[in-house]
Amino acid sequence: MTESTYKCVNCGEKASALYRTYGPSVLKLTKCENCKGVVDKYIEYDPVIVMIDLVLMSKEAQRHIIYNTEFKSYWKLFIILIMLETYGVWRNDSLFNIVINTVCDIRNNSTINSTHITLPIKISVPEPWSSDCKGWVQEDKEAMDLFIWEKDFYIQFLSIFAGITVFITTIHLLMKFFKNFCFQNEVSLISLMKSFSLSNMSLLFTLPMLVWGNNDTPPETRILHYLMVFIYSFVFFYNVFRVLYESPKTVTAFILSISYFAKYMTTFHMTPFIRRITS
Ligand SMILES: [Zn+2]
């Protein structure tokens, strides 16, 4: 890591160093030239405190992780979190599945956890979509060969990986495009990947439902839980991208909404597509 990549956690101004040493046991934290505050107070803090501040979406803690730590293992986190997301979708147990089950009118076919909302009006899905809807109808897993069941996990993994690739690409390209109109930070792909992995940790809040949820869990509880996690996750991404790109609020919210839409659309079309070419 080169020295110039450090940033003040309070204002985002570049800093040459986080601390200076005066002898073997004397260490002095650097002051920011812009806001006169300590550049990074978190280097003295316990990691647990940093984690708590991250959960509370503190911008200072986010800057600390993205700019002032090495955070080398972000790609491990990236893969583990994709696996977690895959597990939810594979079990038919996520907000994304609930939306698909509702829009495509897929009823419970004794597969675990197919939550479905009965809409007051019937949505008729137009043609190119309705055939992909059929691709989401899951076979009864009890009667299914274990090998096919496992294969389905890899298919969902690829599909979600494609969705996330589209998500990151959409954000990066749209931010580049909007850079022509409003002030923005120059962001490298690695910083973007680190920020993505950091924000995606909000997915961990789906764990209680994935672990303890069962067939007796009321659908309303399930929907409420996943909806709250989604909103938290959206706000988390919004905050991290505001810190990363320093773009205006409306632009960030707009780009994030489009990227989410692109991600879920990709996964929706990708799963039936991979199932078709691998069957
Ligand atoms: Zn500062």
Side-chain angles (χ1 to χ4, degrees):
M1 188 181 241
T2 53
E3 284 194 347
S4 59
T5 55
Y6 294 131
K7 281 196 177 183
C8 168
V9 294
N10 309 300
C11 65
E13 182 75 17
K14 280 188 178 160
S16 57
L18 299 179
Y19 58 87
R20 293 189 199 290
T21 42
Y22 301 92
S25 59
V26 187
L27 198 145
K28 196 168 176 290
L29 297 181
T30 314
K31 289 269 167 69
C32 172
E33 286 167 15
N34 184 38
C35 67
K36 313 292 174 205
V38 173
V39 168
D40 192 343
K41 58 181 180 179
Y42 284 104
I43 54 170
E44 282 192 327
Y45 284 24
D46 194 80
V48 177
I49 307 230
V50 182
M51 275 309 287
I52 292 171
D53 278 5
L54 276 176
V55 171
L56 296 173
M57 298 192 222
S58 131
K59 287 193 161 144
E60 288 84 9
Q62 291 166 357
R63 285 200 188 97
H64 166 74
I65 296 287
I66 298 170
Y67 297 117
N68 299 346
T69 58
E70 291 202 60
F71 193 21
K72 272 184 186 160
S73 48
Y74 69 91
W75 62 273
K76 289 182 195 161
L77 198 63
F78 181 74
I79 294 170
I80 291 169
L81 290 171
I82 296 182
M83 289 179 82
L84 176 66
E85 195 173 348
T86 306
Y87 179 69
V89 174
W90 175 69
R91 261 178 54 133
N92 203 357
D93 194 6
S94 70
L95 192 65
F96 178 57
N97 290 95
I98 295 172
V99 171
I100 289 182
N101 289 345
T102 302
V103 173
C104 295
D105 200 29
I106 300 171
R107 304 284 168 156
N108 194 328
N109 51 356
S110 81
T111 315
I112 44 163
N113 310 314
S114 30
T115 306
H116 173 278
I117 309 168
T118 312
L119 294 175
I121 43 154
K122 188 162 165 40
I123 305 176
S124 56
V125 185
E127 189 25 59
W129 300 55
S130 64
S131 56
D132 277 340
C133 267
K134 288 193 194 90
W136 278 91
V137 179
Q138 302 204 350
E139 289 166 56
D140 189 355
K141 279 179 177 152
E142 311 270 298
M144 213 194 264
D145 190 341
L146 196 63
F147 172 71
I148 299 177
W149 196 3
E150 189 188 315
K151 190 179 126 192
D152 201 47
F153 184 87
Y154 302 128
I155 292 174
Q156 293 291 14
F157 182 86
L158 284 179
S159 172
I160 284 173
F161 183 76
I164 285 173
T165 312
V166 167
F167 180 81
I168 294 175
T169 317
T170 313
I171 284 187
H172 204 60
L173 292 180
L174 281 180
M175 284 292 188
K176 264 207 158 77
F177 174 73
F178 273 96
K179 208 171 178 226
N180 302 321
F181 308 107
C182 48
F183 170 77
Q184 268 182 27
N185 245 346
E186 188 67 57
V187 173
S188 69
L189 201 59
I190 292 193
S191 307
L192 178 59
M193 289 295 291
K194 284 181 182 174
S195 315
F196 177 83
S197 306
L198 186 69
S199 322
N200 215 16
M201 287 215 322
S202 46
L203 266 185
L204 292 175
F205 285 108
T206 59
L207 267 178
M209 188 56 84
L210 287 175
V211 174
W212 290 295
N214 54 39
N215 286 340
D216 298 331
T217 313
E220 296 78 28
T221 315
R222 201 180 289 282
I223 292 166
L224 190 67
H225 181 107
Y226 287 135
L227 196 63
M228 276 161 61
V229 174
F230 179 77
I231 293 168
Y232 177 81
S233 183
F234 189 93
V235 176
F236 204 113
F237 268 105
Y238 169 81
N239 270 312
V240 170
F241 286 132
R242 284 267 296 146
V243 162
L244 189 67
Y245 286 97
E246 291 174 20
S247 48
K249 287 176 184 170
T250 42
V251 172
T252 314
F254 175 69
I255 292 178
L256 196 56
S257 308
I258 291 185
S259 308
Y260 260 110
F261 183 73
K263 173 190 167 184
Y264 288 120
M265 274 297 128
T266 309
T267 307
F268 173 71
H269 292 296
M270 207 55 158
T271 302
F273 174 72
I274 305 176
R275 277 191 187 144
R276 263 201 307 277
I277 56 170
T278 53
S279 61

mmCIF file of all heavy atoms in Angstrom, residues 228-264:
data_model
loop_
_atom_site.group_PDB
_atom_site.id
_atom_site.type_symbol
_atom_site.label_atom_id
_atom_site.label_comp_id
_atom_site.label_asym_id
_atom_site.label_seq_id
_atom_site.Cartn_x
_atom_site.Cartn_y
_atom_site.Cartn_z
ATOM 1 N N MET A 228 -36.810 -6.220 6.075
ATOM 2 C CA MET A 228 -35.997 -5.349 6.912
ATOM 3 C C MET A 228 -34.515 -5.502 6.584
ATOM 4 O O MET A 228 -33.784 -4.502 6.537
ATOM 5 C CB MET A 228 -36.261 -5.639 8.391
ATOM 6 C CG MET A 228 -37.486 -4.889 8.889
ATOM 7 S SD MET A 228 -38.167 -5.551 10.402
ATOM 8 C CE MET A 228 -36.839 -5.356 11.529
ATOM 9 N N VAL A 229 -34.079 -6.741 6.352
ATOM 10 C CA VAL A 229 -32.671 -6.949 5.988
ATOM 11 C C VAL A 229 -32.377 -6.261 4.661
ATOM 12 O O VAL A 229 -31.332 -5.628 4.484
ATOM 13 C CB VAL A 229 -32.320 -8.453 5.914
ATOM 14 C CG1 VAL A 229 -30.904 -8.641 5.398
ATOM 15 C CG2 VAL A 229 -32.466 -9.109 7.261
ATOM 16 N N PHE A 230 -33.327 -6.344 3.714
ATOM 17 C CA PHE A 230 -33.105 -5.711 2.408
ATOM 18 C C PHE A 230 -32.974 -4.195 2.554
ATOM 19 O O PHE A 230 -32.071 -3.583 1.973
ATOM 20 C CB PHE A 230 -34.247 -6.054 1.446
ATOM 21 C CG PHE A 230 -34.083 -5.410 0.098
ATOM 22 C CD1 PHE A 230 -33.187 -5.939 -0.823
ATOM 23 C CD2 PHE A 230 -34.769 -4.255 -0.235
ATOM 24 C CE1 PHE A 230 -33.000 -5.337 -2.062
ATOM 25 C CE2 PHE A 230 -34.586 -3.646 -1.463
ATOM 26 C CZ PHE A 230 -33.700 -4.196 -2.376
ATOM 27 N N ILE A 231 -33.865 -3.600 3.356
ATOM 28 C CA ILE A 231 -33.812 -2.141 3.537
ATOM 29 C C ILE A 231 -32.495 -1.742 4.213
ATOM 30 O O ILE A 231 -31.818 -0.807 3.790
ATOM 31 C CB ILE A 231 -35.029 -1.648 4.359
ATOM 32 C CG1 ILE A 231 -36.304 -1.846 3.536
ATOM 33 C CG2 ILE A 231 -34.879 -0.180 4.731
ATOM 34 C CD1 ILE A 231 -37.578 -1.669 4.302
ATOM 35 N N TYR A 232 -32.109 -2.500 5.241
ATOM 36 C CA TYR A 232 -30.837 -2.232 5.929
ATOM 37 C C TYR A 232 -29.682 -2.321 4.934
ATOM 38 O O TYR A 232 -28.804 -1.461 4.889
ATOM 39 C CB TYR A 232 -30.642 -3.234 7.074
ATOM 40 C CG TYR A 232 -29.323 -3.084 7.794
ATOM 41 C CD1 TYR A 232 -29.147 -2.106 8.773
ATOM 42 C CD2 TYR A 232 -28.248 -3.912 7.486
ATOM 43 C CE1 TYR A 232 -27.941 -1.968 9.426
ATOM 44 C CE2 TYR A 232 -27.031 -3.776 8.134
ATOM 45 C CZ TYR A 232 -26.881 -2.799 9.097
ATOM 46 O OH TYR A 232 -25.673 -2.664 9.727
ATOM 47 N N SER A 233 -29.726 -3.376 4.117
ATOM 48 C CA SER A 233 -28.669 -3.608 3.142
ATOM 49 C C SER A 233 -28.597 -2.462 2.124
ATOM 50 O O SER A 233 -27.514 -1.974 1.791
ATOM 51 C CB SER A 233 -28.977 -4.938 2.445
ATOM 52 O OG SER A 233 -27.979 -5.261 1.561
ATOM 53 N N PHE A 234 -29.767 -2.013 1.676
ATOM 54 C CA PHE A 234 -29.814 -0.913 0.695
ATOM 55 C C PHE A 234 -29.203 0.349 1.299
ATOM 56 O O PHE A 234 -28.367 1.013 0.674
ATOM 57 C CB PHE A 234 -31.276 -0.657 0.281
ATOM 58 C CG PHE A 234 -31.410 0.297 -0.870
ATOM 59 C CD1 PHE A 234 -31.479 -0.181 -2.167
ATOM 60 C CD2 PHE A 234 -31.454 1.666 -0.662
ATOM 61 C CE1 PHE A 234 -31.591 0.694 -3.240
ATOM 62 C CE2 PHE A 234 -31.559 2.550 -1.728
ATOM 63 C CZ PHE A 234 -31.633 2.056 -3.018
ATOM 64 N N VAL A 235 -29.599 0.666 2.529
ATOM 65 C CA VAL A 235 -29.082 1.870 3.188
ATOM 66 C C VAL A 235 -27.571 1.746 3.425
ATOM 67 O O VAL A 235 -26.817 2.709 3.264
ATOM 68 C CB VAL A 235 -29.841 2.126 4.518
ATOM 69 C CG1 VAL A 235 -29.256 3.312 5.253
ATOM 70 C CG2 VAL A 235 -31.309 2.353 4.249
ATOM 71 N N PHE A 236 -27.135 0.518 3.764
ATOM 72 C CA PHE A 236 -25.710 0.280 3.990
ATOM 73 C C PHE A 236 -24.921 0.540 2.708
ATOM 74 O O PHE A 236 -23.928 1.269 2.696
ATOM 75 C CB PHE A 236 -25.497 -1.173 4.465
ATOM 76 C CG PHE A 236 -24.240 -1.368 5.255
ATOM 77 C CD1 PHE A 236 -24.289 -1.688 6.602
ATOM 78 C CD2 PHE A 236 -22.996 -1.222 4.653
ATOM 79 C CE1 PHE A 236 -23.126 -1.860 7.336
ATOM 80 C CE2 PHE A 236 -21.825 -1.400 5.372
ATOM 81 C CZ PHE A 236 -21.898 -1.721 6.713
ATOM 82 N N PHE A 237 -25.390 -0.045 1.599
ATOM 83 C CA PHE A 237 -24.731 0.169 0.301
ATOM 84 C C PHE A 237 -24.713 1.654 -0.051
ATOM 85 O O PHE A 237 -23.709 2.187 -0.503
ATOM 86 C CB PHE A 237 -25.469 -0.599 -0.805
ATOM 87 C CG PHE A 237 -24.920 -1.980 -1.036
ATOM 88 C CD1 PHE A 237 -25.594 -3.101 -0.579
ATOM 89 C CD2 PHE A 237 -23.729 -2.163 -1.709
ATOM 90 C CE1 PHE A 237 -25.079 -4.373 -0.791
ATOM 91 C CE2 PHE A 237 -23.205 -3.424 -1.929
ATOM 92 C CZ PHE A 237 -23.891 -4.534 -1.465
ATOM 93 N N TYR A 238 -25.859 2.310 0.175
ATOM 94 C CA TYR A 238 -25.983 3.736 -0.127
ATOM 95 C C TYR A 238 -24.911 4.527 0.633
ATOM 96 O O TYR A 238 -24.199 5.351 0.052
ATOM 97 C CB TYR A 238 -27.402 4.198 0.239
ATOM 98 C CG TYR A 238 -27.595 5.684 0.221
ATOM 99 C CD1 TYR A 238 -27.817 6.356 -0.979
ATOM 100 C CD2 TYR A 238 -27.543 6.426 1.395
ATOM 101 C CE1 TYR A 238 -27.991 7.729 -0.994
ATOM 102 C CE2 TYR A 238 -27.712 7.791 1.392
ATOM 103 C CZ TYR A 238 -27.931 8.437 0.197
ATOM 104 O OH TYR A 238 -28.092 9.798 0.182
ATOM 105 N N ASN A 239 -24.793 4.237 1.945
ATOM 106 C CA ASN A 239 -23.818 4.952 2.762
ATOM 107 C C ASN A 239 -22.389 4.710 2.307
ATOM 108 O O ASN A 239 -21.592 5.629 2.206
ATOM 109 C CB ASN A 239 -23.956 4.516 4.223
ATOM 110 C CG ASN A 239 -24.932 5.384 4.956
ATOM 111 O OD1 ASN A 239 -24.871 6.597 4.871
ATOM 112 N ND2 ASN A 239 -25.856 4.767 5.651
ATOM 113 N N VAL A 240 -22.072 3.432 2.033
ATOM 114 C CA VAL A 240 -20.703 3.101 1.638
ATOM 115 C C VAL A 240 -20.368 3.743 0.287
ATOM 116 O O VAL A 240 -19.282 4.294 0.106
ATOM 117 C CB VAL A 240 -20.506 1.568 1.600
ATOM 118 C CG1 VAL A 240 -19.178 1.222 0.948
ATOM 119 C CG2 VAL A 240 -20.554 0.988 2.990
ATOM 120 N N PHE A 241 -21.312 3.741 -0.637
ATOM 121 C CA PHE A 241 -21.030 4.342 -1.947
ATOM 122 C C PHE A 241 -20.954 5.860 -1.866
ATOM 123 O O PHE A 241 -20.239 6.489 -2.632
ATOM 124 C CB PHE A 241 -22.046 3.887 -2.996
ATOM 125 C CG PHE A 241 -21.814 2.468 -3.427
ATOM 126 C CD1 PHE A 241 -22.844 1.555 -3.486
ATOM 127 C CD2 PHE A 241 -20.536 2.034 -3.750
ATOM 128 C CE1 PHE A 241 -22.604 0.233 -3.854
ATOM 129 C CE2 PHE A 241 -20.288 0.728 -4.114
ATOM 130 C CZ PHE A 241 -21.331 -0.175 -4.165
ATOM 131 N N ARG A 242 -21.675 6.461 -0.910
ATOM 132 C CA ARG A 242 -21.545 7.908 -0.689
ATOM 133 C C ARG A 242 -20.140 8.222 -0.189
ATOM 134 O O ARG A 242 -19.528 9.205 -0.580
ATOM 135 C CB ARG A 242 -22.582 8.374 0.336
ATOM 136 C CG ARG A 242 -23.972 8.479 -0.214
ATOM 137 C CD ARG A 242 -24.300 9.870 -0.715
ATOM 138 N NE ARG A 242 -24.295 10.837 0.356
ATOM 139 C CZ ARG A 242 -23.903 12.096 0.198
ATOM 140 N NH1 ARG A 242 -23.499 12.518 -0.967
ATOM 141 N NH2 ARG A 242 -23.917 12.926 1.218
ATOM 142 N N VAL A 243 -19.631 7.347 0.698
ATOM 143 C CA VAL A 243 -18.272 7.536 1.217
ATOM 144 C C VAL A 243 -17.250 7.325 0.107
ATOM 145 O O VAL A 243 -16.298 8.083 -0.041
ATOM 146 C CB VAL A 243 -18.016 6.545 2.385
ATOM 147 C CG1 VAL A 243 -16.531 6.390 2.642
ATOM 148 C CG2 VAL A 243 -18.712 7.020 3.640
ATOM 149 N N LEU A 244 -17.490 6.316 -0.704
ATOM 150 C CA LEU A 244 -16.510 5.925 -1.723
ATOM 151 C C LEU A 244 -16.466 6.923 -2.881
ATOM 152 O O LEU A 244 -15.398 7.390 -3.263
ATOM 153 C CB LEU A 244 -16.870 4.530 -2.237
ATOM 154 C CG LEU A 244 -15.855 3.858 -3.135
ATOM 155 C CD1 LEU A 244 -14.599 3.535 -2.354
ATOM 156 C CD2 LEU A 244 -16.435 2.569 -3.708
ATOM 157 N N TYR A 245 -17.618 7.244 -3.445
ATOM 158 C CA TYR A 245 -17.644 8.099 -4.645
ATOM 159 C C TYR A 245 -17.844 9.570 -4.317
ATOM 160 O O TYR A 245 -17.597 10.434 -5.147
ATOM 161 C CB TYR A 245 -18.774 7.647 -5.575
ATOM 162 C CG TYR A 245 -18.477 6.354 -6.306
ATOM 163 C CD1 TYR A 245 -18.957 5.145 -5.832
ATOM 164 C CD2 TYR A 245 -17.734 6.341 -7.479
ATOM 165 C CE1 TYR A 245 -18.698 3.959 -6.494
ATOM 166 C CE2 TYR A 245 -17.465 5.171 -8.156
ATOM 167 C CZ TYR A 245 -17.943 3.977 -7.665
ATOM 168 O OH TYR A 245 -17.688 2.800 -8.323
ATOM 169 N N GLU A 246 -18.350 9.870 -3.108
ATOM 170 C CA GLU A 246 -18.689 11.244 -2.703
ATOM 171 C C GLU A 246 -19.601 11.911 -3.724
ATOM 172 O O GLU A 246 -19.516 13.106 -3.977
ATOM 173 C CB GLU A 246 -17.411 12.073 -2.468
ATOM 174 C CG GLU A 246 -16.654 11.617 -1.242
ATOM 175 C CD GLU A 246 -15.322 12.313 -1.050
ATOM 176 O OE1 GLU A 246 -15.132 13.402 -1.621
ATOM 177 O OE2 GLU A 246 -14.470 11.764 -0.327
ATOM 178 N N SER A 247 -20.467 11.116 -4.319
ATOM 179 C CA SER A 247 -21.404 11.643 -5.312
ATOM 180 C C SER A 247 -22.655 12.179 -4.606
ATOM 181 O O SER A 247 -22.899 11.825 -3.456
ATOM 182 C CB SER A 247 -21.791 10.528 -6.274
ATOM 183 O OG SER A 247 -22.143 9.384 -5.548
ATOM 184 N N PRO A 248 -23.464 13.037 -5.287
ATOM 185 C CA PRO A 248 -24.660 13.595 -4.646
ATOM 186 C C PRO A 248 -25.638 12.493 -4.210
ATOM 187 O O PRO A 248 -25.653 11.406 -4.778
ATOM 188 C CB PRO A 248 -25.286 14.449 -5.748
ATOM 189 C CG PRO A 248 -24.186 14.721 -6.695
ATOM 190 C CD PRO A 248 -23.262 13.564 -6.635
ATOM 191 N N LYS A 249 -26.472 12.820 -3.193
ATOM 192 C CA LYS A 249 -27.378 11.823 -2.601
ATOM 193 C C LYS A 249 -28.325 11.206 -3.625
ATOM 194 O O LYS A 249 -28.466 9.985 -3.707
ATOM 195 C CB LYS A 249 -28.217 12.479 -1.498
ATOM 196 C CG LYS A 249 -27.426 12.776 -0.252
ATOM 197 C CD LYS A 249 -28.286 13.516 0.761
ATOM 198 C CE LYS A 249 -27.427 13.878 1.971
ATOM 199 N NZ LYS A 249 -28.098 14.778 2.889
ATOM 200 N N THR A 250 -28.984 12.066 -4.418
ATOM 201 C CA THR A 250 -29.989 11.540 -5.357
ATOM 202 C C THR A 250 -29.330 10.662 -6.416
ATOM 203 O O THR A 250 -29.868 9.614 -6.775
ATOM 204 C CB THR A 250 -30.737 12.695 -6.066
ATOM 205 O OG1 THR A 250 -29.775 13.689 -6.410
ATOM 206 C CG2 THR A 250 -31.807 13.282 -5.192
ATOM 207 N N VAL A 251 -28.155 11.084 -6.889
ATOM 208 C CA VAL A 251 -27.446 10.312 -7.919
ATOM 209 C C VAL A 251 -27.106 8.923 -7.380
ATOM 210 O O VAL A 251 -27.331 7.900 -8.034
ATOM 211 C CB VAL A 251 -26.164 11.048 -8.377
ATOM 212 C CG1 VAL A 251 -25.317 10.176 -9.284
ATOM 213 C CG2 VAL A 251 -26.527 12.345 -9.081
ATOM 214 N N THR A 252 -26.597 8.879 -6.133
ATOM 215 C CA THR A 252 -26.219 7.594 -5.538
ATOM 216 C C THR A 252 -27.440 6.689 -5.395
ATOM 217 O O THR A 252 -27.394 5.504 -5.768
ATOM 218 C CB THR A 252 -25.577 7.814 -4.153
ATOM 219 O OG1 THR A 252 -24.638 8.871 -4.257
ATOM 220 C CG2 THR A 252 -24.882 6.565 -3.664
ATOM 221 N N ALA A 253 -28.536 7.239 -4.868
ATOM 222 C CA ALA A 253 -29.750 6.431 -4.666
ATOM 223 C C ALA A 253 -30.275 5.930 -6.008
ATOM 224 O O ALA A 253 -30.682 4.768 -6.140
ATOM 225 C CB ALA A 253 -30.820 7.258 -3.958
ATOM 226 N N PHE A 254 -30.242 6.794 -7.023
ATOM 227 C CA PHE A 254 -30.718 6.435 -8.360
ATOM 228 C C PHE A 254 -29.872 5.301 -8.950
ATOM 229 O O PHE A 254 -30.394 4.272 -9.396
ATOM 230 C CB PHE A 254 -30.656 7.686 -9.248
ATOM 231 C CG PHE A 254 -31.002 7.436 -10.689
ATOM 232 C CD1 PHE A 254 -32.305 7.104 -11.046
ATOM 233 C CD2 PHE A 254 -30.035 7.540 -11.683
ATOM 234 C CE1 PHE A 254 -32.624 6.872 -12.375
ATOM 235 C CE2 PHE A 254 -30.349 7.305 -13.005
ATOM 236 C CZ PHE A 254 -31.645 6.967 -13.355
ATOM 237 N N ILE A 255 -28.549 5.467 -8.918
ATOM 238 C CA ILE A 255 -27.649 4.461 -9.491
ATOM 239 C C ILE A 255 -27.781 3.134 -8.747
ATOM 240 O O ILE A 255 -27.822 2.064 -9.348
ATOM 241 C CB ILE A 255 -26.189 4.964 -9.471
ATOM 242 C CG1 ILE A 255 -26.038 6.124 -10.451
ATOM 243 C CG2 ILE A 255 -25.203 3.842 -9.798
ATOM 244 C CD1 ILE A 255 -24.670 6.725 -10.498
ATOM 245 N N LEU A 256 -27.908 3.214 -7.433
ATOM 246 C CA LEU A 256 -28.017 1.995 -6.626
ATOM 247 C C LEU A 256 -29.313 1.246 -6.969
ATOM 248 O O LEU A 256 -29.301 0.019 -7.118
ATOM 249 C CB LEU A 256 -27.983 2.369 -5.144
ATOM 250 C CG LEU A 256 -27.714 1.236 -4.176
ATOM 251 C CD1 LEU A 256 -26.411 0.533 -4.521
ATOM 252 C CD2 LEU A 256 -27.668 1.754 -2.759
ATOM 253 N N SER A 257 -30.425 1.989 -7.136
ATOM 254 C CA SER A 257 -31.695 1.340 -7.471
ATOM 255 C C SER A 257 -31.586 0.628 -8.807
ATOM 256 O O SER A 257 -32.023 -0.527 -8.952
ATOM 257 C CB SER A 257 -32.824 2.369 -7.533
ATOM 258 O OG SER A 257 -32.838 3.126 -6.366
ATOM 259 N N ILE A 258 -31.003 1.319 -9.807
ATOM 260 C CA ILE A 258 -30.862 0.699 -11.131
ATOM 261 C C ILE A 258 -29.990 -0.552 -11.037
ATOM 262 O O ILE A 258 -30.304 -1.591 -11.631
ATOM 263 C CB ILE A 258 -30.250 1.703 -12.127
ATOM 264 C CG1 ILE A 258 -31.268 2.804 -12.402
ATOM 265 C CG2 ILE A 258 -29.860 1.018 -13.437
ATOM 266 C CD1 ILE A 258 -30.837 3.766 -13.451
ATOM 267 N N SER A 259 -28.902 -0.470 -10.262
ATOM 268 C CA SER A 259 -27.981 -1.602 -10.170
ATOM 269 C C SER A 259 -28.643 -2.799 -9.494
ATOM 270 O O SER A 259 -28.451 -3.942 -9.913
ATOM 271 C CB SER A 259 -26.735 -1.206 -9.398
ATOM 272 O OG SER A 259 -26.190 -0.045 -9.944
ATOM 273 N N TYR A 260 -29.432 -2.542 -8.442
ATOM 274 C CA TYR A 260 -30.178 -3.627 -7.790
ATOM 275 C C TYR A 260 -31.116 -4.289 -8.788
ATOM 276 O O TYR A 260 -31.217 -5.516 -8.860
ATOM 277 C CB TYR A 260 -30.995 -3.079 -6.618
ATOM 278 C CG TYR A 260 -30.353 -3.300 -5.267
ATOM 279 C CD1 TYR A 260 -29.828 -2.246 -4.542
ATOM 280 C CD2 TYR A 260 -30.274 -4.582 -4.720
ATOM 281 C CE1 TYR A 260 -29.237 -2.440 -3.302
ATOM 282 C CE2 TYR A 260 -29.695 -4.793 -3.484
ATOM 283 C CZ TYR A 260 -29.178 -3.717 -2.780
ATOM 284 O OH TYR A 260 -28.594 -3.921 -1.559
ATOM 285 N N PHE A 261 -31.828 -3.447 -9.545
ATOM 286 C CA PHE A 261 -32.777 -3.961 -10.531
ATOM 287 C C PHE A 261 -32.043 -4.840 -11.549
ATOM 288 O O PHE A 261 -32.470 -5.966 -11.848
ATOM 289 C CB PHE A 261 -33.473 -2.787 -11.222
ATOM 290 C CG PHE A 261 -34.518 -3.206 -12.214
ATOM 291 C CD1 PHE A 261 -35.731 -3.725 -11.792
ATOM 292 C CD2 PHE A 261 -34.279 -3.088 -13.582
ATOM 293 C CE1 PHE A 261 -36.693 -4.124 -12.710
ATOM 294 C CE2 PHE A 261 -35.231 -3.485 -14.509
ATOM 295 C CZ PHE A 261 -36.450 -4.009 -14.067
ATOM 296 N N ALA A 262 -30.905 -4.341 -12.049
ATOM 297 C CA ALA A 262 -30.130 -5.090 -13.045
ATOM 298 C C ALA A 262 -29.654 -6.418 -12.464
ATOM 299 O O ALA A 262 -29.681 -7.458 -13.133
ATOM 300 C CB ALA A 262 -28.939 -4.260 -13.510
ATOM 301 N N LYS A 263 -29.249 -6.393 -11.189
ATOM 302 C CA LYS A 263 -28.752 -7.613 -10.548
ATOM 303 C C LYS A 263 -29.845 -8.677 -10.487
ATOM 304 O O LYS A 263 -29.645 -9.821 -10.917
ATOM 305 C CB LYS A 263 -28.280 -7.276 -9.131
ATOM 306 C CG LYS A 263 -27.890 -8.495 -8.317
ATOM 307 C CD LYS A 263 -27.671 -8.134 -6.860
ATOM 308 C CE LYS A 263 -27.612 -9.399 -6.025
ATOM 309 N NZ LYS A 263 -27.495 -9.130 -4.600
ATOM 310 N N TYR A 264 -31.031 -8.297 -9.984
ATOM 311 C CA TYR A 264 -32.080 -9.294 -9.809
ATOM 312 C C TYR A 264 -32.642 -9.761 -11.148
ATOM 313 O O TYR A 264 -33.014 -10.920 -11.301
ATOM 314 C CB TYR A 264 -33.174 -8.764 -8.875
ATOM 315 C CG TYR A 264 -32.677 -8.700 -7.452
ATOM 316 C CD1 TYR A 264 -32.638 -7.511 -6.746
ATOM 317 C CD2 TYR A 264 -32.189 -9.855 -6.832
ATOM 318 C CE1 TYR A 264 -32.143 -7.465 -5.447
ATOM 319 C CE2 TYR A 264 -31.694 -9.823 -5.544
ATOM 320 C CZ TYR A 264 -31.676 -8.626 -4.857
ATOM 321 O OH TYR A 264 -31.172 -8.589 -3.583
#
